[in-house]
Every structure is written in structure tokens, then in C-alpha cells.
Amino acid sequence: MSISLMRNSYGKSRVRLVKVRRADGRHELTDIDVDIELEGDFDDAYTQGNNGKVLPTDTMKNTVYALAKGHPVEPIEDFGVLLAEHFLGSGHARRARIAIAEKVWSRIDAGGAPHRHAFLRAAGERRTAEISATAGEIAVVSGIADLLVLKTTGSAFSGFPRDAYTTLRETDDRILSTLMVARWRTATRDPAPTRTWESARCALLETFAEQHSLSVQHTIHALGTAVLAACPAVDELSLSLPNKHCLLVDLSPFGLSNDNEIFVPVDEPHGLIHATMKRGG
């Protein structure tokens, strides 16, 4: 029987790293997870058990720590490129993929000012970067993941088709909550990825808060438009918005009314809406 090994890759996942930079009593904190994946001349390891070209994944883990010691890890896009170029230089890798997720920490306010070395975690929100590199090309995708937002009004959903299985009521006033995931590409290498990330995040939050939403689809288009307007470097943007439902509780069995006050949050099932937007026609 003839069998072909069509494609293979290997690497290290969830390499945890916290780096503290200390200067004049003020500390800066970076908290990241790094995934590494290599493609290349590794067929013999699969077909013959020959590990002569297989860089140990434990070495990959150690490389993250060693390079973090000698180089900045912010912005994460640049650190990802550094790692990708390092692993491409190992001799047997043709493509290196690096995915970095940064947990977002902010300073705790103490005594009326941001504290110099105490931080607060912003829920599950993460800044993300994905780098794919070959000998002749580097592609970078930046983004935000798990940005949990909610507004108690300014959201509606009506005018949808109904069939024999439709039970959902139309509404012109509902809670809208979602866990935003945004990923974007720039036409050329972004010289200021942190500024772009901050501008994109601000545009997402302000637009979500201010827009009168007629549907999650309506909101996702407004969010994408706002990011592209606020971030000149961004050429293409993909958004994913799961609709984290808060359902109005029926209090009528208890002789009570419910004027959009008492809700039950429901994690599953939830709606999931995607869109990709690009500059130009």
C-alpha cells in the first residue's frame, strides 16, 4: 500500500512568560503565552523515526525565555518576528508560525495615582499577534480576543422572517453583550503596532457603546468601519461577535411585571456573527 505524508508540523504550545522591566522604582509588566509551530524537512522523523533534524520542543520553550531576556517583548508583533526569524535559522524549518496572546494588565490606582508596581487584570481580554514567516516573507496579523462588553439598552432586533419553528419575540430594547474577537492586517509592516492596537480597541469600545444597534450584524459593520477609520495602517479587518444572551425572565406566574429589569444570562447556545472588511471596493 502506497502512503504519502502530505503535510506535517510540530512545535510548542502555551509557553508562559511574565517579564518585569524595572526602571527608577516603576515597573512595567508583560504577561504572554507563546505558541510555536514549524514546518520543514521533518519527514524522516515521521516515516523512519529519525530525529536528526527535529529541534526539541523543550529547546523552543527555552529559546523564548532566552530571547526575552536579551530583547524587548513589547510590542508582541516584533517579539514574534524575532522568534520566527530565529527558528527559520535552525536549518531545517521552511516556515515558522508564532502566535502570541498577551493578557492585559492595568495599574491599580492608589492614593489618587497609578501605582508603580501593582496591577489589575482586565478580565479575560488578550492582545494577540500571529506571525507566519518563510525565508522570503513575513506576515503579521494583530488583534484583540475575548473583549467582553455589555450595554443595557440601545439594542434591538425585529423584522426577521418567521416560520413554524420561530418563537423569538421582536424587541426594540434589549441587553446586548458579546465577547469581541478582532484580527487585522496592515498593507505593510506596521511601525507602531501598539498605537494601532490602542486606537482599534478605543474605536471598538466607543462604537459599541454609542451605536444604536438594530442587530449584531448591524453592530459588527459599524465596529469594522470605525476601526478602519481610526487606524490608517489597517488594510483588512475580521470580527467575530458571539451574542451572549441575557433573556428576560417571565415573572407573570408570580403576579409580577418585568419591565426589562430581571434577566438570566445564558452562555449556550449563543449566536455567532462574523464579518471581514477591507479598504476600497
Side-chain angles (χ1 to χ4, degrees):
M1 181 173 59
S2 177
I3 297 175
S4 298
L5 183 63
M6 299 297 294
R7 180 180 175 184
N8 64 80
S9 65
Y10 82 104
K12 199 73 164 179
S13 183
R14 297 296 301 275
V15 179
R16 296 291 311 278
L17 166 66
V18 171
K19 182 172 182 178
V20 178
R21 300 173 302 287
R22 308 168 192 270
D24 299 326
R26 180 181 173 88
H27 295 176
E28 303 291 339
L29 175 73
T30 305
D31 182 354
I32 62 176
D33 293 350
V34 181
D35 290 350
I36 302 154
E37 182 185 8
L38 302 183
E39 292 182 20
D41 187 15
F42 308 123
D43 288 13
D44 287 353
Y46 291 84
T47 60
Q48 301 178 34
N50 183 346
N51 298 323
K53 298 177 181 178
V54 178
L55 182 72
T57 64
D58 189 67
T59 302
M60 297 180 186
K61 175 201 68 178
N62 294 340
T63 300
V64 172
Y65 299 136
L67 292 184
K69 169 62 178 175
H71 299 83
V73 296
E74 286 280 1
I76 57 174
E77 287 84 355
D78 291 352
F79 187 57
V81 170
L82 176 71
L83 289 169
E85 291 176 337
H86 173 88
F87 290 118
L88 281 179
S90 65
H92 304 298
R94 290 191 296 268
R95 180 181 296 275
R97 293 186 179 89
I98 308 295
I100 302 179
E102 178 183 356
K103 299 175 179 66
V104 179
W105 292 86
S106 58
R107 294 186 184 276
I108 294 175
D109 284 334
H115 200 275
R116 293 174 298 173
H117 57 258
F119 300 86
L120 174 69
R121 173 82 183 275
E125 179 188 356
R126 293 168 292 136
R127 175 179 173 176
T128 62
E130 300 173 18
I131 293 87
S132 178
T134 63
E137 181 181 9
I138 295 177
V140 178
V141 177
S142 301
I144 298 171
D146 298 338
L147 180 57
L148 181 61
V149 293
L150 180 150
K151 61 182 179 181
T152 55
T153 191
S155 173
F157 188 53
S158 62
F160 48 84
R162 310 189 72 89
D163 64 18
Y165 305 114
T166 302
T167 59
L168 184 68
R169 296 179 180 178
E170 296 190 355
T171 179
D172 60 2
D173 188 9
R174 64 173 181 171
I175 287 178
L176 178 59
S177 179
T178 187
L179 200 63
M180 292 186 192
V181 177
R183 302 170 73 247
W184 56 84
R185 302 177 185 271
T186 55
T188 58
R189 182 82 175 273
D190 188 354
T194 297
R195 184 168 65 238
T196 297
W197 185 86
E198 291 171 346
S199 297
R201 185 179 185 275
C202 182
L204 290 170
L205 293 175
E206 288 187 358
T207 303
F208 176 83
E210 296 294 336
Q211 185 222 20
H212 182 75
S213 172
L214 300 180
S215 65
V216 180
Q217 289 85 345
H218 186 219
T219 293
I220 208 171
H221 188 269
L223 294 174
T225 300
V227 171
L228 290 170
C231 305
V234 175
D235 186 59
E236 182 178 306
L237 170 74
S238 294
L239 286 161
S240 173
L241 268 65
N243 193 353
K244 311 295 282 186
H245 300 292
C246 287
L247 304 180
L248 197 67
V249 177
D250 181 9
L251 298 179
S252 60
F254 320 118
L256 300 173
S257 62
N258 189 359
D259 187 19
N260 278 356
E261 290 181 280
I262 307 301
F263 299 84
V264 57
V266 179
D267 289 333
E268 297 176 350
H270 59 252
L272 185 57
I273 294 87
H274 300 281
T276 297
M277 300 171 64
K278 184 177 176 62
R279 293 187 188 278

